[in-house]
Every structure is written in C-alpha cells, then in structure tokens.
C-alpha cells in the first residue's frame, strides 16, 4: 500500500517546442535512470527513440518510462508519459491523459501560452487531471516570467500559486528563488546540474521574494480552511504546513503551483521532481472508478485498491516485431499476474496474459505482478483495441471509452508493386490498430484505398512508417479535404415506402420534421413524438437508425452531414407487410427527399494557424494568409518574434509549412490545428472535386 501511496502517474503536456522531451530527459538523468544527458537536437533522447522522432525533432508517439525519486526519507515511483505537442498527434495526448493521475504543464518563458497550450489544457480538464506548471526556457532571449504567469491566469481562468521566481532571464538567467524556503538556488555547471547550492537571496530580489511569499500565504489561506486557521491566528507557519496545503489545493484543482527554470541549461528540474512527489496525486487519492455492467446495463463502481476485482483499461496498442501485440494498460483495481486470464467485455472473449512488462521507452522490464495504480504492458492478448476494458472472467465491467475526433484529410494510396497488395493490407491494418485517429477506407466509386487522418504531417509520418517498418513503397495522390454538409432550413415531409413482390411485401409510413440542430452539438438529435402507437415502439429505433445511416452521405456532394435534427410525429404500418428494416429504408429515402427541400450547404474544416516569424517578415506572412482566404485574429509579440494567429481553410494549408520557411528564409515556423467547420463560399464551391 505504501508503494501505491508513493506512486505518481504523470504526463508532460505542452505546445510544440516548449521543451517537454528535454524536461523528461533531465528528469530521467537526475533520477539516475540514465547516465548521459540526451538532447532533442542531437536525436539521442530516451523517449523520442523512434527514428522519425529523432529526424524531425518532435514527439510523435507518447512514450512511457518509469523511474524513482528520493524526497527526504521517502522513495517515489514515477511513471512519466511524454506526449506530443503537435496537434496532428493530439490523440496521443487524449489517450494518455485518460489514464494519468496528474500532469506537468510546460510553458516556454519566451513564447508564453500558445493556442496548442489551450488544446492540451482543455484535454486535461476533460479528465479532471490536477496539474503543476513549469515555465521553461527562462534562458531564452525575451523570456518573461511574470508575463507568462499572467497569460496562464487570463487564458485558463485559474489562479496561480507562484512557488519560485527566476534570478535574471535570457542570457542573465542564473538560478531560481524558492518562495517557500526563501532561499536562492544555483546549479553547478561542472557536473551537468547534478548538484546545486542554496544561498541567501540576492539584495536586489529580497523585497520581491518577500512580496511573493506574503501573497502566496494569503492565497493558500483563501483556498484552504486548515491553513487559514493557523494564518489568521498568526501561529508559526512551517514549510511542511505550506506544502501540505498546496497539495490539497492542487488535488482540488482550485489553483496551479508554478515553478520555473531551464531544462536545457539544467536549472530547476530537481525542484520540479520534488513538486511532482509533494503535490500531484497518488492512485489512492481517488476512491473509486466508475463504469457499468454490460450484462445488467447498470452503473457500478470499483475501489482503486489491490483487493478489488481486477479492472484494467487499454489506452494504447503497440505492435512489436519480437513479442507481437502489446496492450498498454492502466490498472485501476485489483492485480494481474502472468498466466492469468481476463475478460474483454467488448468481444465477450477471454485473453491470456503471458507476460507483464514495464516499458522503459524502447526497453522492457519483466514484472511478476502488476497492481492497482500501475501502468504496464500486457503481452499475449489477441483481440484488444484502444479503449477496451479488461476484467475478471466472471465480473464484466466496462469503463468509459475514449472519443476520437473524425479525420479531416485523406490520401489515395496504393503499393507500387502489385505483389505487395497482401502485405500492404496487413501493414495498414496494423498501423490503424495502433493509431485510432487514423482510418483506412475503400472508395466505393473508384475502388481506391484511402488513408484518412488529422493533418498533412500525420499522414506523412504514417506513410513513412509503411516504408521504414514494413518495407513498402507507396504511390500517393494529392491530399483531399473531408468536407461536411449541413441543412439550412427546417421542413416537414411524409415518406411512404411500399413494395410488393409476391408473398409478404414491404411497407413503412413516416411523417417527420427535419432541419439543422438548434444547439452546438454534432450528430443526430432524434425526437420521438409518436402518440397512440401509430408506429410500434420496436420500429422507432429503426427509423432513427435509418436517419443515422442517411447522414453518412449528403445530397449535395455526398459528404457526411455534420448535424441534424429530426422530429418523428406521425406514421403508419401495414398489419402484415411492415418490418423494422422497412422503416430504415423509409428514413433513408425520406432524408434524401426532404434534404433537397430544406437546402444544403457545404462546410469546410477551418484551421487555426499560428505563425511565428521575425518582424521583418511580418508583411510577407500576413499577405500570404490573405491570399489563402485566411482571416487574421491577432498579432502579438512572442519573445523576439511576432506571432500571427489566423483562421485558414484546411484546403489552403497544404504545403504551408514549407511555404512559411521559404517566406521567412527558414526563420519562421507554423503550427496548425483544427478549429471548426464553416460554410464554403459559393465561388470556391464550384471548384471542389467530388
């Protein structure tokens, strides 16, 4: 139990180039897991072990690694997941946060809060993950600690608890001041930051440090009743009392502790490890996990301890050339030993666990037993996919699955060699099983194989995987946008479907109102207002099923319908000829007829483009954005550069990364992420290929 109490399952989340991987590397080095400092620029980091990650200098796949940290007389086990910052791989962040207990949100001291910072923050809030903040890269020119803190508060609407302030910034960044202990900390460059000295606060920072400490104590008292009592009665305030109160506030997600440093310069990482141990939750800080019994269809809960019925959640599936399929799981309750059998309620089949491993990035350590709180890999499973729950054979239980976004871009692909077709199909099936945001479809009109994903980079990386891992050369077409269709008005329609071909016939009669939804949700809003049983209850679900099926192919250009509202209010049946499937057909036919009356518009995916460049190239960038039908929403200073934030149609962003580099002589960068769907202008509509 003590081991679980001292266990921390944490994720590293941030926008692109905030320094996530470097922070992770330093944490592994200072905890003694590695004996050499890895750097992204050198391509020798532990967590970015994939050749493409080393080549591109970005994290593509979330990596799990386990280490230990000693704080005072306690030893803490820390499972770290380093997640991608690039939005094309947001699914990696999503499924990692689903199984983590806490997170470190990293911000660049120079560029501050970026749009992708908001995306990963919202993902963590979705799963109620407590966080601590680390303002990294304080050695960068233009780094501004106070400004970044203000941005965090303004952007996320959360109070910060500043626990450290920097000594200098940019080239003059020397160390940090610990607000709780009121000590200045300086790291030794002679031993790569393994040791540091604590000294008196420099004269020029004494007043600022005192003000921050007074503010911190007042803030803590405002959030924590236990601390407030001691604070108001002016009792002695110990460092332990402060740390305990900050932990309670962090777990409640009332405020976020803020630390700072420079991972690249080896400054501030050890206090960050202390903060992870002190403030972020253990698996025991949440009492139960909620799910439902699929056999009885009732909600159930299980306690998060080793004595409970085994409950594990598969958040990632990997294919390893030596051991086959590995299901990465978070064990929420009970325990697992090698050789045991678990039930997969989705398939109804049992899975034999031949081995249990703890993954150390690209290495594997055998485990004789895994217990509640552990994140590990299961070898031997056959039919497990991302989002499956594994439980004891006689105790079916399902945890909430992960919802993945729909793809926004597609490519037609085929193997160059005709005799590679079987290998091609098997390889696509494998990479699609590992990446739930990737889809493989066959175009029913052309017979082409389509690869669908979250962005140009996403598809580029997966195609490179086909070449490097599976030895397949692939022909590819131009990228195509996944458009959506949308009804523009509400109409009423009656559809009668009848067919007689000897014997029992087919008959269904439905009257309904159809139009756009009046909320911001996607999909079908189906409202049943049938009275008097004119359509039997058992057929109502068939009507809904028919409309859901119909939405897959719109009437304008055949693209899926984004959202729709249907009110079924009347209808009729034939005593002998009516069947459930007849009502599905009636709904499909009725949709096609009614949609023409309602009017349909085409929607295109709109990307948020965040372009950073030196000021001298600003005119070129804004001009290029305008040429791409983009709308600039803001321009702000980001360190020594300018950042342009714009809404740009996805169709106009193909090849944009290369264009930005060309326009800025290689000194600019761009980050793209999906924002929303908006109507396509009439002039553009005529140029779109079906």
């Amino acid at each position: 139990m003590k081991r679980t109490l001292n266990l921390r399952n944490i994720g590293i989340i941030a926008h692109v180039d905030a320094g996530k991987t470097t922070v992770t590397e330093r944490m592994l080095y200072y905890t003694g897991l590695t004996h050499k400092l890895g750097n992204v620029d050198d391509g020798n980091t532990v967590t970015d072990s994939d050749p493409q990650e080393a080549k591109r200098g970005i994290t593509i796949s979330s990596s799990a690694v386990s280490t230990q940290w000693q704080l005072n007389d306690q030893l803490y086990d820390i499972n770290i997941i380093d997640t991608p910052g690039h939005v094309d791989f947001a699914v990696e962040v999503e499924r990692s946060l689903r199984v983590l207990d806490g997170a470190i949100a990293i911000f660049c001291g120079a560029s501050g809060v970026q749009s992708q910072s908001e995306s990963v923050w919202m993902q963590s809030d979705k799963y109620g993950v407590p966080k601590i903040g680390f303002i990294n890269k304080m050695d960068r020119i233009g780094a501004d600690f106070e400004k970044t803190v203000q941005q965090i508060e303004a952007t996320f609407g959360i109070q910060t608890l500043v626990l450290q302030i920097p000594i200098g910034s940019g080239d003059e960044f020397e160390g940090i001041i610990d607000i709780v202990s009121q000590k200045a900390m300086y790291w030794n460059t002679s031993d790569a930051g393994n040791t540091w000295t604590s000294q008196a606060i420099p004269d020029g920072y004494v007043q600022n440090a005192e003000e921050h400490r007074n503010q911190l104590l007042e803030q803590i008292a405002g959030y924590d009743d236990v601390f407030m009592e001691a604070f108001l009665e002016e009792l002695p305030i110990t460092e332990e009392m402060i740390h305990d109160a900050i932990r309670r506030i962090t777990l409640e997600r009332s405020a976020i502790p803020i630390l700072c440093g420079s991972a690249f310069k080896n400054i501030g990482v050890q206090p960050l490890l202390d903060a992870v141990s002190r403030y972020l939750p253990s698996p025991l800080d949440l009492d139960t996990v909620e799910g439902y019994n699929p056999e009885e269809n009732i909600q159930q809960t299980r306690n998060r301890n080793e004595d409970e019925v085994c409950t594990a959640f598969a958040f990632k599936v990997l294919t390893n050339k030596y051991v086959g399929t590995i299901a990465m799981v978070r064990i929420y309750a009970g325990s697992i030993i090698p050789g045991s059998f678990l039930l997969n309620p989705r398939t109804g089949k049992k899975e034999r666990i031949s081995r249990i491993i703890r993954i150390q990035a690209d290495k594997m350590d055998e485990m004789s037993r895994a217990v509640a709180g552990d994140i590990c890999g299961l070898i031997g499973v056959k039919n497990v996919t991302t989002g499956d729950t594994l439980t004891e054979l006689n105790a079916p239980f399902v945890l909430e699955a992960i919802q993945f976004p729909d793809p926004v871009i597609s490519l037609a692909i085929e193997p160059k060699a005709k005799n590679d077709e079987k290998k091609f199909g098997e390889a696509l099936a494998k990479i699609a099983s590992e990446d739930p945001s990737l889809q493989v479809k066959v175009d029913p009109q052309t017979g082409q194989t389509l690869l669908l994903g979250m962005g140009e980079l996403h598809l580029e990386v997966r195609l490179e995987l086909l070449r490097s891992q599976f030895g397949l050369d692939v022909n590819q077409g131009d990228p195509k946008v996944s458009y959506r269709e949308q009804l523009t008005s509400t109409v009423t329609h009656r559809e009668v479907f009848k067919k007689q071909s000897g014997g029992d016939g087919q008959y269904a009669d439905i009257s309904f109102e159809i139009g756009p939804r009046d909320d911001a949700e996607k999909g079908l809003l189906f409202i049943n207002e049938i009275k008097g049983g004119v359509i039997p209850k058992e057929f109502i679900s068939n009507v809904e099923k028919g409309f859901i099926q119909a939405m897959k192919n719109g009437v304008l250009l055949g693209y899926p319908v984004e959202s729709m509202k249907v009110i079924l209010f009347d209808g009729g049946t034939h005593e002998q000829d009516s069947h459930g499937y007849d009502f599905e057909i009636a709904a499909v036919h009725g949709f096609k007829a009614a949609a023409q009356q309602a009017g349909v518009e085409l929607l295109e995916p709109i990307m948020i483009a965040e372009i950073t460049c030196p000021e001298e190239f600003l005119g070129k960038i804004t001009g290029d954005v305008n040429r791409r039908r983009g709308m600039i929403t803001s321009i702000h200073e980001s360190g020594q550069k300018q950042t342009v934030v714009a809404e740009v149609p996805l169709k106009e962003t193909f090849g944009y990364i290369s264009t930005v580099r060309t326009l800025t002589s290689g000194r600019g960068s761009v980050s793209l992420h999906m924002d929303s769907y908006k109507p396509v202008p009439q002039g553009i509509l005529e140029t779109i290929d079906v």
Side-chain angles (χ1 to χ4, degrees):
M1 190 65 74
K2 182 179 179 182
R3 176 186 169 275
T4 306
L5 186 66
N6 285 0
L7 177 61
R8 302 289 182 266
N9 291 315
I10 67 166
I12 312 287
I13 60 173
H15 62 83
V16 176
D17 200 34
K20 297 177 303 301
T21 300
T22 304
V23 169
T24 306
E25 286 297 315
R26 297 306 185 265
M27 293 174 83
L28 301 182
Y29 177 70
Y30 295 129
T31 55
L33 187 69
T34 60
H35 304 288
K36 182 182 178 182
L37 288 174
N39 288 310
V40 174
D41 292 342
D42 298 331
N44 61 351
T45 59
V46 172
T47 51
D48 285 354
S49 54
D50 181 271
Q52 284 203 72
E53 295 178 316
K55 174 184 173 183
R56 298 173 187 271
I58 61 171
T59 301
I60 292 170
S61 178
S62 55
S63 299
V65 64
S66 302
T67 190
Q68 293 182 319
W69 181 245
Q70 183 88 28
L71 175 61
N72 300 326
D73 60 343
Q74 297 288 317
L75 186 64
Y76 292 85
D77 291 304
I78 303 177
N79 291 324
I80 304 171
I81 295 186
D82 174 27
T83 62
H86 200 288
V87 71
D88 281 21
F89 309 104
V91 66
E92 293 288 338
V93 183
E94 183 84 16
R95 60 182 175 185
S96 297
L97 288 168
R98 171 68 172 79
V99 298
L100 295 173
D101 300 320
I104 302 172
I106 299 179
F107 304 92
C108 173
S111 58
V113 177
Q114 305 286 291
S115 59
Q116 184 60 11
S117 308
E118 298 181 58
S119 300
V120 295
W121 188 281
M122 286 190 291
Q123 284 175 295
S124 68
D125 277 351
K126 175 181 174 182
Y127 295 112
V129 177
K131 295 173 282 291
I132 55 180
F134 183 69
I135 299 178
N136 192 29
K137 300 193 176 183
M138 286 306 303
D139 59 311
R140 282 281 184 94
I141 296 173
D144 190 327
F145 177 78
E146 297 290 349
K147 181 180 177 182
T148 304
V149 171
Q150 291 168 9
Q151 285 182 336
I152 292 170
E153 293 185 341
T155 305
F156 306 122
I158 191 167
Q159 186 73 48
T160 57
L161 302 177
V162 175
L163 307 187
Q164 298 171 351
I165 57 174
I167 302 173
S169 64
D171 291 338
E172 297 178 355
F173 179 57
E174 298 180 85
I176 61 174
I177 295 172
D178 187 294
I179 298 302
V180 177
S181 66
Q182 288 287 283
K183 292 288 186 182
M185 304 175 70
Y186 299 92
W187 273 259
N188 297 319
T189 57
S190 59
D191 62 359
N194 263 299
T195 59
W196 64 93
T197 58
S198 293
Q199 301 176 19
I201 298 172
D203 292 341
Y205 290 88
V206 172
Q207 184 178 347
N208 190 18
E210 287 180 355
E211 289 174 356
H212 271 94
R213 192 173 199 275
N214 291 335
Q215 181 183 355
L216 176 64
L217 297 182
E218 289 177 7
Q219 287 177 305
I220 294 173
Y223 285 113
D224 191 86
D225 292 339
V226 176
F227 188 86
M228 178 186 283
E229 188 175 343
F231 182 74
L232 292 178
E233 294 182 12
E234 298 185 354
L235 298 174
I237 303 292
T238 65
E239 291 183 23
E240 185 178 356
M241 290 171 62
I242 296 173
H243 292 312
D244 289 346
I246 293 172
R247 175 177 172 78
R248 290 191 291 268
I249 293 168
T250 304
L251 297 189
E252 292 168 0
R253 297 169 53 232
S254 304
I256 176 173
I258 299 291
L259 298 87
C260 65
S262 167
F264 184 71
K265 294 289 187 180
N266 309 320
I267 297 175
V269 177
Q270 292 92 337
L272 180 60
L273 284 161
D274 288 346
V276 167
S277 306
R278 283 186 174 122
Y279 309 136
L280 291 182
S282 80
L284 299 179
D285 285 310
L286 292 173
D287 295 331
T288 60
V289 60
E290 296 182 356
Y292 72 95
N293 184 319
E295 291 185 353
E296 301 176 13
N297 199 25
I298 57 172
Q299 295 292 318
Q300 289 183 345
T301 60
R302 287 184 177 173
N303 294 317
R304 297 177 181 238
N305 59 51
E306 299 175 26
D307 302 324
E308 180 62 275
V309 175
C310 179
T311 307
F313 182 82
F315 67 95
K316 188 170 184 175
V317 177
L318 307 171
T319 302
N320 184 279
K321 60 183 177 181
Y322 299 111
V323 298
T325 300
I326 304 173
M328 293 296 298
V329 301
R330 162 69 190 267
I331 303 175
Y332 283 100
S335 62
I336 305 175
I337 59 172
S340 60
F341 287 89
L342 293 175
L343 171 71
N344 183 344
R346 180 183 62 84
T347 62
K349 297 179 179 179
K350 61 182 181 180
E351 298 279 354
R352 183 179 184 275
I353 314 303
S354 59
R355 293 165 60 195
I356 305 173
I357 57 169
R358 176 174 283 114
I359 293 185
Q360 302 286 51
D362 59 343
K363 298 182 178 65
M364 302 178 190
D365 291 340
E366 296 283 339
M367 299 175 67
S368 59
R369 182 170 180 256
V371 301
D374 279 334
I375 292 177
C376 58
L378 304 182
I379 296 175
V381 296
K382 302 295 184 185
N383 298 301
V384 174
T385 61
T386 298
D388 282 350
T389 303
L390 298 175
T391 185
E392 291 184 13
L393 297 181
N394 59 350
F397 184 79
V398 177
L399 297 166
E400 181 185 357
I402 306 172
Q403 301 299 318
F404 298 112
D406 294 327
V408 296
I409 185 175
S410 65
L411 282 176
I413 58 173
E414 64 179 13
K416 283 187 177 180
K418 289 295 181 185
N419 56 359
D420 277 344
E421 287 187 359
K422 182 181 179 183
K423 185 179 177 182
F424 178 69
E426 292 172 350
L428 285 178
K430 283 185 179 179
I431 64 171
S433 69
E434 291 185 13
D435 183 353
S437 63
L438 195 73
Q439 293 184 15
V440 179
K441 294 183 178 179
V442 175
D443 189 315
Q445 295 179 340
T446 65
Q448 290 179 306
T449 299
L450 301 178
L451 192 65
L452 298 90
M454 302 309 299
E456 209 173 358
L457 178 62
H458 185 204
L459 296 184
E460 185 183 316
V461 165
R462 297 310 176 209
L463 287 175
E464 180 62 32
L465 189 65
L466 286 177
R467 298 183 185 101
S468 62
Q469 186 171 321
F470 298 96
L472 286 166
D473 285 326
V474 177
N475 292 323
Q476 65 186 71
D478 294 328
K480 288 194 173 184
V481 176
S482 294
Y483 292 94
R484 298 287 186 269
E485 296 187 14
Q486 181 71 56
L487 302 182
T488 58
S489 63
T490 299
V491 298
T492 300
H493 180 78
R494 181 188 179 195
E495 184 70 25
V496 179
F497 170 69
K498 55 184 177 180
K499 193 173 183 181
Q500 196 73 39
S501 56
D504 283 351
Q506 292 177 273
Y507 183 87
D509 180 1
I510 55 174
S511 293
F512 57 90
E513 182 183 276
I514 186 171
R517 290 183 67 150
D518 43 20
D519 56 21
E521 299 299 315
K522 297 179 181 179
L524 174 66
L525 175 60
F526 183 79
I527 300 173
N528 173 26
E529 291 188 354
I530 292 294
K531 293 181 175 63
V534 293
I535 298 179
K537 284 184 178 181
E538 60 266 27
F539 294 158
I540 301 295
S541 61
N542 293 101
V543 177
E544 182 178 7
K545 187 177 178 181
F547 280 115
I548 291 173
Q549 181 65 32
M551 288 178 71
K552 294 179 180 179
N553 299 101
V555 298
L556 187 62
L557 293 177
Y559 288 103
V561 176
E562 177 80 343
S563 64
M564 188 171 76
K565 178 181 178 180
V566 172
I567 301 175
L568 179 67
F569 59 83
D570 201 2
T573 61
H574 186 279
E575 187 175 344
Q576 291 182 325
D577 293 349
S578 290
H579 312 86
Y581 188 63
D582 302 336
F583 282 87
E584 285 185 40
I585 296 173
V588 172
H589 291 178
F591 163 77
K592 290 180 179 178
Q596 299 282 5
Q597 303 171 46
V600 184
E601 63 183 359
L602 194 68
L603 305 178
E604 64 180 339
I606 302 297
M607 310 297 284
I608 295 294
E610 198 169 286
I611 311 117
T612 302
C613 67
E615 189 168 1
E616 64 210 73
F617 300 107
L618 195 57
K620 289 184 178 180
I621 290 297
T622 55
D624 187 65
V625 168
N626 291 330
R627 282 191 293 274
R628 294 173 184 272
R629 297 193 285 126
M631 184 177 72
I632 295 172
T633 57
S634 69
I635 300 176
H636 61 270
E637 194 173 313
S638 180
Q640 297 294 299
K641 295 184 178 181
Q642 297 289 326
T643 295
V644 178
V645 181
E647 296 178 358
V648 186
L650 172 64
K651 187 176 188 291
E652 309 295 337
T653 66
F654 296 151
Y656 193 39
I657 295 173
S658 297
T659 301
V660 168
R661 287 175 183 157
T662 302
L663 290 174
T664 61
S665 301
R667 297 170 64 192
S669 63
V670 59
S671 170
L672 296 162
H673 72 268
M674 171 67 183
D675 180 56
S676 60
Y677 280 89
K678 291 186 178 179
V680 176
Q682 188 62 38
I684 303 297
L685 182 62
E686 298 164 0
T687 68
I688 293 175
D689 297 326
V690 182

